[in-house]
Amino acid sequence: MDLNQPTQQNVEYMIETIKTKLRMATGSAMQASSFTVDKYEDLKDIYDMVNSKERFSISEVEALVSELGKLRG
């Protein structure tokens, strides 16, 4: 998958990957369809950071979820 292209399909893929990686209990509340390609670069930055780490502290997860909330359309 070429994540360098800002498509809705890539947005959905990144959101699903982030939710899985963070093991979000409330993942169902964060629908990939709530995100648009308008915020693609910011979303890609979060995706890259999440993929670069194996584990996250509770405060890191909370901060990431907060940032994702700001990016929702």
Side-chain angles (χ1 to χ4, degrees):
M1 179 165 280
D2 181 11
L3 295 178
N4 293 318
Q5 300 300 317
T7 66
Q8 189 62 35
Q9 182 181 7
N10 286 349
V11 167
E12 292 173 11
Y13 172 81
M14 289 189 292
I15 291 297
E16 292 305 317
T17 301
I18 290 168
K19 287 181 353 186
T20 300
K21 184 100 178 187
L22 295 181
R23 296 180 186 99
M24 291 175 60
T26 58
S28 62
M30 189 165 296
Q31 299 294 323
S33 59
S34 298
F35 297 86
T36 64
V37 295
D38 296 346
K39 304 285 184 172
Y40 191 84
E41 290 302 317
D42 295 326
L43 182 58
K44 178 86 167 55
D45 289 342
I46 293 172
Y47 171 83
D48 289 340
M49 197 274 291
V50 167
N51 270 342
S52 72
K53 293 184 71 172
E54 280 298 314
R55 297 181 183 267
F56 296 89
S57 69
I58 292 171
S59 60
E60 286 175 317
V61 171
E62 289 173 350
L64 288 165
V65 170
S66 175
E67 287 302 310
L68 287 169
K70 292 176 187 175
L71 296 179
R72 285 195 300 190

